[in-house]
Amino acid sequence: MLIRSSTPEALRQNNSLSVLSALRRQGALAHTDLCAQTGLASATVSAITAILERDGVIERLEQKPAGGRGRPRVLFQPKRDCGYLAAVRISSDQVQYSLVDYAGRLIDRFEEPRLGGDGATEAFGQSFLAALARLAERSRLARDQVLAISISSKGIVDPGAARLVWSPVFGGAALDFSALLGGVWPARVLLANESLLVAQAIAAQREGQGHIPAIAALSLGHSIGLGLARRDRHGEWEVSAPNFGHMQHVAGGSLCRCGSQGCVEAYAGFYAVLRTAFQVPPQTIPAKFVPIAEIDKIAAQARAGHRMAIYAFRQAGQSLGAGLARMMSLFGSMPVAVTGPGLRFFGLMQEGLLEAFAETHEGRLNGVPLILPMTGEDELVFEGHVTRALAEMDVMLATGQGGGAP
Amino acid sequence: MLIRSSTPEALRQNNSLSVLSALRRQGALAHTDLCAQTGLASATVSAITAILERDGVIERLEQKPAGGRGRPRVLFQPKRDCGYLAAVRISSDQVQYSLVDYAGRLIDRFEEPRLGGDGATEAFGQSFLAALARLAERSRLARDQVLAISISSKGIVDPGAARLVWSPVFGGAALDFSALLGGVWPARVLLANESLLVAQAIAAQREGQGHIPAIAALSLGHSIGLGLARRDRHGEWEVSAPNFGHMQHVAGGSLCRCGSQGCVEAYAGFYAVLRTAFQVPPQTIPAKFVPIAEIDKIAAQARAGHRMAIYAFRQAGQSLGAGLARMMSLFGSMPVAVTGPGLRFFGLMQEGLLEAFAETHEGRLNGVPLILPMTGEDELVFEGHVTRALAEMDVMLATGQGGGAP
DNA sequence: CGGTTTTTCTCGACAGTCGAGAAAATATTT
DNA sequence: AAATATTTTCTCGACTGTCGAGAAAAACCG
């Protein structure tokens, strides 16, 4: 929506983008609606839709909604086949590849097991390229029809470049997807943390209803993720994934999977709950993987009144509450959406969380935050992929770089 | 530099702003320089400078720098008298009023004692209005020649509205400067935390030399302030003043002046150092005011090897180190400029700070941050006022709202 | 005093937005 | 069935703005 350049062409690109993104987000709109939505003059909208139609980016809807009197409206809609995006979700045990069209429809999807053990980043790169090629081929798409490749993982991401800095999956071996895909795929490459995508999806969902200035997405599981969506000065969503899970909770505290002591994750991650509940010394090296059934057992004990089990979840909640209060001291108050496989244990953590939050300056000044439990993290991550990548595609299509008539 | 509107007029305003702000920041530039700086075509620059000159915003420099061959350059510069800003700095004991012209020159300045005790916000408002009127009158300025009023205080500020939410001076009594000045003064009202202004000033200083993506300004004193300057997506500085001093350091820790327990300030503020050094119980209600000479004495003792004095500063450093590590977990690594009256004790805190920082995940991943001790906090705050307000005035003058020919 | 050089200024072409009114296509009324 | 009303889309001319190229200006140099 914002342009930096100074020429009338840039103005047109900017206005084209307004029209196109309004059209894509709202489905099908008539000339009149577009004027109202974008604030552009009727003549300008005519000029822009004419060009977008000529370039094969939008089309007229056939089925005319017969309504009241007057000349019937002609509805425009984006062409579904004018560009595609590939969404790749990297989990600890598998990689999911999805192909989505410009209307946001899922076209194809498959999973592959994640190859190799630790440090097998080279092999992973090769299987990644092969899978992407397969994804395009199965739908008979040329590579230049895929306009964006959106990749997600848990871990720390370099926001500028598409570079994975640290992840529970690959450890500290930096993985540069831009370099990996550059030259082979002409698409724009996006890389994001999973929690960032969840925040993005929730922000997009709430776009219409009321003006929420910010929202946090907290993901509970073996590791702890936090995504932030905030509106910037210009009213646009600015999403980020701060390194919340490894923010220090207590100096010299429990040993974390990352090797440091006292991280939030070392109190609120699954392995931490397990460690506390079984009274394993807190400096014990954490379990690599904890089946969720184990945590379910501890939760059942806690609900039955078992003291150490209750304490384990309470302590997890306290570390989250203190961490969130610290985060909001810096970013301001905001509602918190809770997701992830650990959501089902949140009831056991909530009291500790709110208690720890309430005793901070942030809690005393602004009260405890609104907590929104949200099921379906997988869908939210996918929605986040789609939201981000489609917005990127809007820009490409509006500025005439890539895509267009098939 | 960014436009949101869609019309050719907005384009012109945008380009005018590029020209004007380049001119103001660099002093005096010729037509050719402006083309190079802004990237605009020569003809466009001619058109814009002609209008700005006609409107009395810029003028031709008389003194021509006789140079080599060729037609001599004509240098443009902003007119000093085309608009003024008032900078108001509210301290605990006094209020400083400054009048600055569009060239950034200090025209007039006076201090007034801050009236009334706690809760005397009403009386303060009246004296504030009277002092502003006096400031304009002493320089024989009409009110509409003052384009911006920039106000600073320690404490928490509502970034959108010019509303002081909490301050050590007024406590929780919210003070709405927009409402106070609206109607009486046509100027734009800006309100900022002092540390934010320091960060803004340092960011502006480093603007030229190298591309620093972010910088933090840490102010040490009776209270602890943090200002952040980060570049956003569009490469512009985004400054903020997170509530760092009252971020929780230790749950259930020492009593803070704000009434909560365990805030960073309750370990690193002057009163905290005093309390620890004299082994006063940490839940004792903090002293309202500590003469800096007291801290100097403790520092002397520490340098002489007195154990509790050393520990007091060390503990302060540790709370700062842990807090900065938490901050950088969320915002990313950045250099830290240290200012404030407590800077002279920083040598005694530094070891504890770096030690606490190094043991966090942030410290292990990215190393300890670059620390830049900076003397002259007062000047930096003033520079921040001027930088911010002048940038605001650029926009007003370029869009033709207010200011211009006297 | 006429070339050279550098800078500023000017002109016409081109791109874009806008407001107003014409044209189109339907429902309703006579 | 024709005329009228209504709503929407399309088109035209005016205006604003940017740009490239070349003309004009103003110095220095030989």
Side-chain angles (χ1 to χ4, degrees):
Chain A
M1 294 288 195
L2 289 163
I3 64 176
R4 189 166 247 305
S5 181
S6 55
T7 86
E9 268 114 320
L11 202 56
R12 164 58 61 91
Q13 289 181 350
N14 195 30
N15 290 337
S16 288
L17 179 58
S18 302
V19 169
L20 184 57
S21 70
L23 220 40
R24 185 183 55 74
R25 282 198 291 237
Q26 319 226 6
L29 293 175
H31 181 101
T32 320
D33 304 324
L34 286 172
C35 292
Q37 291 269 336
T38 61
L40 295 170
S42 167
T44 308
V45 171
S46 284
I48 289 173
T49 51
I51 290 176
L52 289 176
E53 195 176 9
R54 168 172 63 74
D55 291 351
V57 178
I58 65 174
E59 65 190 350
R60 282 153 200 267
L61 194 61
E62 291 311 314
Q63 154 243 10
K64 286 172 188 172
R69 38 202 290 172
R71 178 172 175 171
R73 323 179 128 205
V74 296
L75 295 176
F76 289 101
Q77 69 177 6
K79 287 189 76 169
R80 278 188 276 162
D81 59 352
C82 85
Y84 298 83
L85 71 98
V88 185
R89 184 179 180 187
I90 304 171
S91 311
S92 55
D93 55 340
Q94 64 166 19
V95 187
Q96 181 189 65
Y97 298 85
S98 309
L99 187 70
V100 178
D101 69 14
Y102 188 52
R105 262 172 258 230
L106 181 64
I107 303 292
D108 187 20
R109 167 174 286 175
F110 59 81
E111 281 92 25
E112 289 195 345
R114 198 175 64 73
L115 291 178
D118 293 342
T121 53
E122 178 64 29
F124 173 78
Q126 291 311 310
S127 72
F128 186 84
L129 287 173
L132 272 186
R134 197 171 134 217
L135 190 68
E137 206 204 334
R138 287 189 1 162
S139 297
R140 312 224 179 291
L141 292 181
R143 294 201 167 181
D144 61 357
Q145 291 181 271
V146 178
L147 300 187
I149 300 174
S150 178
I151 307 160
S152 73
S153 162
K154 292 191 189 296
I156 305 171
V157 154
D158 180 350
R163 217 163 52 84
L164 189 59
V165 177
W166 186 92
S167 70
V169 176
F170 298 105
L175 200 48
D176 187 338
F177 287 98
S178 250
L180 181 64
L181 295 171
V184 191
W185 287 86
R188 189 81 39 105
V189 180
L190 307 169
L191 174 63
N193 171 289
E194 284 197 0
S195 302
L196 181 146
L197 293 179
V198 173
Q200 173 91 67
I202 296 173
Q205 280 179 4
R206 320 232 147 195
E207 184 80 61
Q209 60 220 55
H211 190 85
I212 294 174
I215 193 158
L218 178 67
S219 174
L220 305 177
H222 202 66
S223 63
I224 304 296
L226 188 81
L228 244 48
R230 297 179 304 141
R231 284 186 196 279
D232 65 11
R233 251 176 314 185
H234 311 291
E236 298 187 356
W237 285 110
E238 173 114 19
V239 290
S240 58
N243 187 8
F244 181 79
H246 297 286
M247 187 171 76
Q248 186 180 65
H249 172 49
V250 175
S254 304
L255 184 62
C256 179
R257 210 163 33 137
C258 71
S260 309
Q261 285 177 260
C263 300
V264 169
E265 184 185 294
Y267 291 88
F270 281 172
Y271 65 83
V273 171
L274 186 77
R275 198 163 53 182
T276 307
F278 288 155
Q279 303 192 46
V280 177
Q283 299 306 322
T284 309
I285 290 177
K288 275 246 162 184
F289 177 72
V290 179
I292 196 162
E294 288 292 315
I295 313 293
D296 277 325
K297 273 187 219 160
I298 300 172
Q301 289 175 346
R303 292 193 181 101
H306 188 286
R307 264 194 65 238
M308 273 324 278
I310 291 176
Y311 177 66
F313 286 110
R314 177 180 200 79
Q315 190 182 51
Q318 286 172 335
S319 73
L320 294 173
L324 287 175
R326 286 170 178 141
M327 184 275 282
M328 292 186 202
S329 287
L330 302 181
F331 285 99
S333 302
M334 64 186 83
V336 179
V338 183
T339 64
L343 175 59
R344 63 173 107 159
F345 313 120
F346 187 67
L348 296 163
M349 304 181 189
Q350 186 156 16
E351 200 184 334
L353 189 156
L354 294 179
E355 174 193 279
F357 194 102
E359 73 171 24
T360 64
H361 179 250
E362 170 66 24
R364 292 158 53 100
L365 190 64
N366 298 318
V368 298
L370 181 64
I371 305 277
L372 308 162
M374 303 205 76
T375 54
E377 187 184 35
D378 292 352
E379 286 74 19
L380 287 170
V381 170
F382 181 64
E383 272 179 48
H385 270 296
V386 173
T387 303
R388 267 167 72 87
L390 286 183
E392 196 68 33
M393 288 168 67
D394 287 342
V395 175
M396 297 175 76
L397 291 166
T399 54
Q401 36 178 322
Chain B
M1 296 290 189
L2 291 160
I3 66 175
R4 186 166 250 307
S5 181
S6 54
T7 86
E9 268 115 319
L11 202 56
R12 164 56 62 90
Q13 289 180 350
N14 194 31
N15 289 339
S16 288
L17 179 59
S18 303
V19 169
L20 185 57
S21 70
L23 220 41
R24 186 183 55 74
R25 281 199 290 239
Q26 319 225 7
L29 294 175
H31 182 101
T32 320
D33 305 324
L34 287 172
C35 292
Q37 292 270 334
T38 61
L40 296 171
S42 167
T44 308
V45 171
S46 284
I48 289 173
T49 52
I51 291 176
L52 289 177
E53 195 176 8
R54 169 172 62 74
D55 291 351
V57 178
I58 64 174
E59 64 189 351
R60 284 154 199 266
L61 196 59
E62 291 312 312
Q63 153 242 9
K64 287 172 188 172
R69 29 204 297 170
R71 179 173 174 170
R73 322 179 127 204
V74 295
L75 296 175
F76 289 101
Q77 69 177 7
K79 287 189 75 170
R80 277 187 276 160
D81 60 352
C82 86
Y84 297 84
L85 70 96
V88 184
R89 183 178 181 188
I90 304 171
S91 311
S92 55
D93 55 339
Q94 64 167 21
V95 187
Q96 181 189 66
Y97 298 85
S98 308
L99 187 71
V100 178
D101 70 14
Y102 188 52
R105 262 173 256 228
L106 181 63
I107 303 292
D108 187 20
R109 168 174 284 175
F110 58 82
E111 283 92 24
E112 289 195 347
R114 198 176 62 73
L115 291 178
D118 292 343
T121 54
E122 178 64 30
F124 173 78
Q126 291 312 311
S127 74
F128 185 85
L129 287 173
L132 273 185
R134 196 173 133 215
L135 191 67
E137 205 205 334
R138 287 191 359 166
S139 297
R140 312 225 179 288
L141 292 181
R143 294 200 166 179
D144 62 356
Q145 290 181 271
V146 178
L147 300 186
I149 300 174
S150 178
I151 307 161
S152 72
S153 163
K154 293 192 190 294
I156 306 171
V157 154
D158 180 350
R163 216 164 52 83
L164 189 59
V165 176
W166 187 93
S167 69
V169 177
F170 298 105
L175 199 48
D176 187 338
F177 287 99
S178 252
L180 181 64
L181 296 170
V184 191
W185 288 85
R188 190 82 39 104
V189 179
L190 307 168
L191 175 63
N193 172 290
E194 283 197 0
S195 301
L196 180 148
L197 293 179
V198 173
Q200 172 89 67
I202 296 173
Q205 279 179 3
R206 322 231 146 193
E207 184 79 62
Q209 60 220 57
H211 190 85
I212 294 173
I215 192 158
L218 178 66
S219 171
L220 304 177
H222 201 65
S223 63
I224 304 296
L226 187 81
L228 245 50
R230 299 178 303 142
R231 285 187 196 278
D232 65 12
R233 254 177 310 186
H234 312 290
E236 299 188 355
W237 286 108
E238 173 115 19
V239 289
S240 58
N243 187 8
F244 181 78
H246 298 286
M247 187 171 76
Q248 186 180 66
H249 172 50
V250 175
S254 305
L255 183 62
C256 178
R257 211 163 32 140
C258 72
S260 308
Q261 285 177 259
C263 300
V264 169
E265 184 185 295
Y267 291 88
F270 280 171
Y271 65 84
V273 171
L274 187 77
R275 200 164 50 184
T276 309
F278 288 155
Q279 303 193 49
V280 178
Q283 299 308 320
T284 309
I285 292 177
K288 276 248 161 182
F289 178 71
V290 179
I292 196 161
E294 288 292 315
I295 314 294
D296 276 324
K297 274 186 218 161
I298 301 171
Q301 289 176 347
R303 293 193 180 101
H306 186 287
R307 264 195 67 242
M308 274 323 280
I310 291 175
Y311 176 66
F313 285 110
R314 178 180 199 81
Q315 190 182 50
Q318 286 172 335
S319 72
L320 294 173
L324 286 175
R326 285 170 178 141
M327 184 275 283
M328 292 187 203
S329 288
L330 301 181
F331 285 98
S333 302
M334 63 186 84
V336 179
V338 183
T339 64
L343 175 60
R344 64 173 107 160
F345 313 120
F346 187 68
L348 296 164
M349 305 182 189
Q350 186 155 16
E351 200 185 333
L353 189 156
L354 294 178
E355 174 193 280
F357 194 102
E359 74 171 24
T360 64
H361 179 248
E362 170 65 25
R364 292 159 53 102
L365 189 65
N366 298 319
V368 297
L370 182 64
I371 306 276
L372 308 162
M374 301 205 78
T375 53
E377 187 183 37
D378 293 351
E379 286 73 20
L380 288 171
V381 169
F382 180 66
E383 271 180 48
H385 271 294
V386 173
T387 304
R388 267 168 72 87
L390 287 183
E392 196 67 34
M393 288 168 66
D394 288 343
V395 175
M396 299 175 74
L397 291 166
T399 55
Q401 36 178 321

